[in-house]
Amino acid sequence: MNKKNIVFVLFLIIGLSIVAAQSLPVYLDDSKPMDERIKDALSRMTLEEKSAIVRAQSKFSTPGCPRLGIPELWLSDGPHGVRMEIEWDSWKHAMWTNDSCVAFPALTCLAATFNPSLSYEYGKALGAEARFRKKDVILGPGVNIYRTPLNGRNFEYMGEDPYLASVMAVPYIQGVQTNGVAACLKHFALNNQEKWRGHINVEVSDRALHEIYLPAFKAGVQEGKVWTVMGAYNRFRGQFTTHHELLSKILKEDWGFDGVFMSDWGSTHDTREAALFGLDMEMGTRTDGLHYSEKNAYANYYLAQPYLDMILSGELSESSLDEKVRRILKLNFRTNMDRNRPYGSFVTDEHYDVARRVAEEGVVLLKNSQSFFPVPKGKYKKILIVGDNADRSLTVAGGSSELKVKKEVSPLQGLIAKYGAENITFTRGYTTGKSRFHPNVPDTNKSDSLRQQAVALAKQADVVLFIGGLNKNYGQDSESNDRRGYNLSFGQDRLIEELIKVNKNTGIIIISGNGIAMPWVNDVPAIMQSWYLGSEAGAALANIISGDVNPSGKLPFSIQKQLEDNPAHYFGKLAYPGDSVDVHYKEDLLIGYRWHDTKQIEPQFAFGHGLSYTNFQYGKITSDKKSYQKNETVKLSFLLTNTGKIDGAEVVQVYAGQAKPSLPRPVKELKSFKKVFLKAGESKKVEIEIPVKELAFYNDSKQVWVVESDQFTFYCASSSADIRNKIMLHVK
């Protein structure tokens, strides 16, 4: 080819490229503003294509728009790991060989760390695993409030305090979404029990709604900028929360949520309400897509053919559909149509490291008489481990948060690795039921035999470590139903009492996502609250027990002495679980420590409680001024000293209480916390800032947040019941 022809061809290529670029649809041009791209894509879609994109096409995907190259959206359950693959049209496991994952500790543990920076690492690692598995949405975090210790799903949530849940949820969301994977804040709202969750109607005051049950959702939307929110199953004031007029207004109008509001699987109940009251994407309604009958297939979801028919008849406007599609297209552009999103990573050493550190920082040392813990290597030759949870897999079961892990180190494995197999004897001590419907009715004869064997071995041991608690059986810490009672199942209480009688040197490690009754609390020297710690459970727990890691976790909920001391149970069955139709939140604002403080009912262990292997001394608290205006920030400081001989971390908590509020308020409420790491003998100046606007309460008659001129007391504390010092300041 001569020089002239080469030049001609080059000009031709350049010209064609320019023409092609000019004809490129705006929605495919990621240099254009997102609103322009959404408008262009929407204008090219047919009514049928728009109708299809707002509902599922399989258990965990929506169809996208193939004609325009808009990809499917793929979702996965969370919130503490990427669930194994599920078959297209059933809940059966797909039996893939490449869908194992890292199990991160359950969210009760994450909340117990009181460490927002660790929450960000958690979210980032989880998002990377989801991205590598080609997921566009990970269904977490859960931020429903711990109202009763019987709620089977509390282990997926972040405790009883709305401020703690808010602060811990925001970095989790931000971490997940750095991967181009949407976090999904759930379950909006008032899903505080599993019993009758599909229909129970919650009656709660506007004040409690706004002050207790909505703040974590609000923070996730406004501070975390979450891309998706999931509705709940229950009703609120007679209307299902997945398509609720008031809740939709709060979420989208008042808070400015610009993402996708999706149903939980089967939580949609009405086409008109779903169309008009905020639902953007319908998932999992009464179908497996193929086998339950044609009338229940995907095309007949409430937001599918019935919705399309109502638009075609003029009953509903096409503009209501367009608004849903806009939000879904925005989700596409944020996730699978973002060419710059990272590729993710899976079951890496870095992810296991995050899982282990979250577990270590979340374990709570509740009691430690005579310095029972730590148990240093070499101190004892005969260590007896008792309890089913010592070698039980606790990443499986529990409902939708079940995981298939690449690796899970059990507590027993971790302790053997730490102390040596020659020093460890294991006996189960009790048996758990295997029946889904009767999980708390084990074989009595076998139970007696196992208990007797454990007691006999305890007589010969230098030290006994009991590792029990709850598990993820149906009726314990599990989705779809609540616990049957407050005490430990499977005869564990009796076993503990008999172990103590024959060996006083017995420490208790409880693994659970809920508080439990502890009738033996005064008889045992030490109690440790562990959680579902995930893949690195055994390694983390062994590090804490041996003293290689100093515990620093704090309780994210109060543990009551008896069930009746919990406010949801104090008022009788109408307050929990309800009459099968309605449940009335009679305790109103007084959840957890707010109840214990105000009613002067002493808990077994207080919210925010957690011991260390070292000691911390709090200096006098001071402020930068004595009086503050509404738009100012209260600035507090004090000196914190590690007076012990080993490094450690203390979670400093600051609560505030108003002297003479015009409406009833709790004695005090958590307004700030900070985890401070100190070397042995080290002192640090701790500085706390609290915006005055955060001292507001919700005035339900005026439907506004109010900060009143008054005197406020700021309590500097190691727990809600352990006040170290306080200062009184005035707000104008």
Side-chain angles (χ1 to χ4, degrees):
M1 185 179 291
N2 60 37
K3 187 175 182 180
K4 184 182 292 186
N5 288 339
I6 292 172
V7 172
F8 173 77
V9 171
L10 288 173
F11 273 112
L12 181 62
I13 292 170
I14 292 169
L16 289 172
S17 299
I18 292 170
V19 171
Q22 289 174 340
S23 63
L24 184 73
V26 171
Y27 73 89
L28 290 178
D29 186 354
D30 52 13
S31 69
K32 298 290 186 181
M34 189 177 291
D35 288 345
E36 284 187 32
R37 300 178 70 194
I38 293 169
K39 183 178 180 181
D40 181 58
L42 188 62
S43 71
R44 297 169 187 267
M45 296 176 71
T46 66
L47 179 60
E48 288 73 18
E49 286 170 336
K50 289 188 287 188
S51 174
I53 207 170
V54 300
R55 49 81 176 169
Q57 66 168 353
S58 75
K59 279 297 182 191
F60 281 95
S61 71
T62 60
C65 184
R67 183 179 65 86
L68 297 178
I70 296 170
E72 302 165 326
L73 286 167
W74 280 90
L75 302 78
S76 177
D77 272 314
H80 47 264
V82 187
R83 192 180 185 181
M84 69 285 284
E85 298 299 324
I86 302 299
E87 287 187 350
W88 184 270
D89 283 315
S90 81
W91 287 110
K92 294 179 182 177
H93 298 166
M95 306 306 290
W96 289 18
T97 58
N98 60 349
D99 59 344
S100 299
C101 70
V102 173
F104 298 91
L107 294 194
T108 41
C109 179
L110 180 61
T113 70
F114 278 71
N115 188 338
S117 63
L118 200 53
S119 182
Y120 178 83
E121 290 188 63
Y122 183 118
K124 188 175 181 180
L126 174 61
E129 298 237 332
R131 173 68 187 98
F132 188 87
R133 288 266 302 277
K134 296 180 170 55
K135 306 303 179 185
D136 304 306
V137 182
I138 188 78
L139 303 180
V143 294
N144 294 106
I145 293 297
Y146 180 111
R147 180 175 178 257
T148 163
L150 300 191
N151 181 10
R153 216 166 177 183
N154 274 337
F155 71 96
E156 292 188 46
Y157 303 142
M158 295 195 184
E160 72 185 29
D161 185 74
Y163 179 78
L164 173 63
S166 299
V167 172
M168 296 301 290
V170 167
Y172 173 112
I173 291 165
Q174 293 169 336
V176 168
Q177 294 184 169
T178 60
N179 297 278
V181 173
C184 184
L185 200 59
K186 63 183 190 182
H187 304 88
F188 189 72
L190 298 163
N191 181 192
N192 307 112
Q193 64 190 69
E194 290 296 286
K195 188 177 179 65
W196 301 321
R197 70 175 184 181
H199 64 272
I200 195 74
N201 177 54
V202 176
E203 295 292 340
V204 64
S205 72
D206 280 347
R207 285 196 68 199
L209 177 70
H210 285 274
E211 293 189 31
I212 303 296
Y213 297 102
L214 292 186
F217 289 102
K218 183 178 182 181
V221 168
Q222 296 190 331
E223 299 173 43
K225 308 296 183 185
V226 72
W227 294 341
T228 67
V229 174
M230 181 188 288
Y233 285 110
N234 52 283
R235 290 181 169 97
F236 166 49
R237 296 178 185 168
Q239 193 172 36
F240 281 104
T241 54
T242 292
H243 32 77
H244 196 287
E245 192 168 9
L246 173 61
L247 294 179
S248 175
K249 177 185 179 298
I250 290 171
L251 178 67
K252 292 186 172 180
E253 294 180 29
D254 298 352
W255 298 349
F257 174 60
D258 69 349
V260 170
F261 182 60
M262 71 174 69
S263 74
D264 204 337
W265 274 239
S267 70
T268 312
H269 295 272
D270 183 87
T271 296
R272 178 180 294 277
E273 287 191 359
L276 298 179
F277 300 148
L279 183 63
D280 300 312
M281 182 188 293
E282 182 182 0
M283 302 299 299
T285 300
R286 311 187 316 268
T287 184
D288 64 0
L290 293 176
H291 303 108
Y292 283 0
S293 79
E294 192 272 334
K295 72 176 184 178
N296 286 329
Y298 299 110
N300 289 291
Y301 276 18
Y302 292 105
L303 285 184
Q305 192 63 44
Y307 187 19
L308 182 58
D309 290 343
M310 293 177 81
I311 292 174
L312 291 171
S313 70
E315 247 184 295
L316 291 171
S317 69
E318 187 174 347
S319 62
S320 67
L321 175 60
D322 287 348
E323 172 59 21
K324 301 177 193 306
V325 177
R326 284 189 192 96
R327 290 174 177 269
I328 292 169
L329 289 172
K330 180 174 282 189
L331 180 59
N332 280 113
F333 293 140
R334 284 169 162 169
T335 59
N336 57 25
M337 292 185 73
D338 177 6
R339 300 180 192 179
N340 297 315
R341 69 172 178 165
Y343 292 102
S345 55
F346 204 58
V347 291
T348 65
D349 290 344
E350 291 80 5
H351 295 176
Y352 286 118
D353 180 67
V354 170
R356 179 185 49 77
R357 287 187 289 115
V358 171
E360 289 170 350
E361 286 199 29
V363 171
V364 182
L365 183 58
L366 296 177
K367 179 180 180 181
N368 200 26
S369 298
Q370 302 170 347
S371 298
F372 178 93
F373 290 119
V375 179
K377 288 174 286 186
K379 183 176 182 179
Y380 301 113
K381 294 295 184 183
K382 296 179 181 178
I383 302 173
L384 176 65
I385 311 298
V386 182
D388 186 70
N389 279 351
D391 78 336
R392 183 188 187 96
S393 175
L394 293 169
T395 58
V396 299
S400 61
S401 64
E402 64 172 349
L403 297 172
K404 183 169 79 175
V405 294
K406 189 81 170 179
K407 177 181 76 170
E408 180 178 3
V409 181
S410 72
L412 181 60
Q413 290 171 325
L415 291 167
I416 288 173
K418 183 69 66 175
Y419 295 103
E422 67 278 7
N423 297 315
I424 297 285
T425 300
F426 169 66
T427 186
R428 199 164 300 278
Y430 61 94
T431 179
T432 60
K434 301 303 180 185
S435 166
R436 170 177 166 81
F437 299 102
H438 301 285
N440 296 328
V441 188
D443 184 317
T444 303
N445 292 330
K446 188 175 181 182
S447 294
D448 288 343
S449 174
L450 289 173
R451 185 179 66 256
Q452 291 165 8
Q453 182 182 47
V455 171
L457 288 169
K459 293 177 182 178
Q460 310 301 321
D462 296 330
V463 64
V464 179
L465 298 177
F466 175 84
I467 304 178
L470 306 179
N471 59 42
K472 293 184 179 178
N473 278 5
Y474 182 81
Q476 294 208 41
D477 279 335
S478 179
E479 185 179 2
S480 300
N481 205 354
D482 288 345
R483 295 168 60 195
R484 291 171 171 80
Y486 193 38
N487 283 76
L488 290 174
S489 300
F490 317 122
Q492 291 180 77
D493 290 330
R494 179 180 175 183
L495 172 59
I496 291 170
E497 289 167 354
E498 292 193 16
L499 289 172
I500 287 296
K501 286 179 182 177
V502 300
N503 193 326
K504 300 294 184 183
N505 202 26
T506 297
I508 308 299
I509 297 101
I510 296 297
I511 297 176
S512 72
N514 268 303
I516 60 166
M518 300 180 183
W520 30 260
V521 65
N522 295 323
D523 300 323
V524 298
I527 307 169
M528 193 174 282
Q529 174 64 51
S530 184
W531 317 98
Y532 302 115
L533 298 182
S535 288
E536 291 289 323
L541 201 52
N543 285 342
I544 295 286
I545 291 171
S546 67
D548 289 348
V549 171
N550 194 349
S552 61
K554 299 280 188 172
L555 280 179
F557 51 75
S558 309
I559 297 179
Q560 285 78 33
K561 293 181 178 179
Q562 56 188 357
L563 192 58
E564 293 74 19
D565 290 346
N566 176 277
H569 296 267
Y570 179 87
F571 291 100
K573 290 185 177 180
L574 197 56
Y576 174 85
D579 60 4
S580 84
V581 177
D582 300 303
V583 59
H584 294 262
Y585 288 16
K586 293 187 175 185
E587 73 282 0
D588 202 46
L589 301 173
L590 301 183
I591 287 292
Y593 69 87
R594 291 166 166 82
W595 170 261
H596 292 290
D597 288 348
T598 306
K599 299 297 183 180
Q600 297 183 332
I601 298 173
E602 185 181 11
Q604 189 72 73
F605 293 105
F607 171 86
H609 171 73
L611 304 175
S612 171
Y613 296 153
T614 188
N615 296 300
F616 298 95
Q617 182 178 0
Y618 287 64
K620 182 180 179 181
I621 189 169
T622 60
S623 61
D624 63 326
K625 52 198 298 188
K626 296 298 181 184
S627 182
Y628 295 87
Q629 302 290 335
K630 183 177 180 180
N631 61 346
E632 293 182 321
T633 296
V634 176
K635 296 181 179 179
L636 306 172
S637 63
F638 67 96
L639 196 67
L640 183 69
T641 303
N642 180 348
T643 59
K645 297 180 179 180
I646 61 173
D647 301 348
E650 170 71 331
V651 177
V652 172
Q653 302 154 52
V654 177
Y655 299 80
Q658 184 177 346
K660 297 179 180 179
S662 59
L663 293 177
R665 301 191 72 175
V667 170
K668 65 179 186 292
E669 298 171 285
L670 183 68
K671 294 299 177 184
S672 186
F673 61 84
K674 184 174 287 189
K675 193 160 197 173
V676 184
F677 293 83
L678 295 172
K679 295 186 178 302
E682 183 183 10
S683 296
K684 278 185 183 177
K685 182 181 181 182
V686 179
E687 297 178 321
I688 301 287
E689 294 189 355
I690 303 172
V692 170
K693 67 179 182 179
E694 297 300 323
L695 303 176
F697 64 84
Y698 189 79
N699 185 314
D700 51 347
S701 62
K702 298 180 180 179
Q703 296 186 9
V704 293
W705 288 89
V706 176
V707 178
E708 295 182 324
S709 295
D710 203 349
Q711 181 174 279
F712 286 79
T713 301
F714 294 86
Y715 304 88
C716 188
S718 183
S719 80
S720 62
D722 185 5
I723 309 301
R724 298 301 178 92
N725 48 58
K726 60 186 179 181
I727 187 170
M728 288 176 283
L729 303 171
H730 196 77
V731 169
K732 295 181 181 179

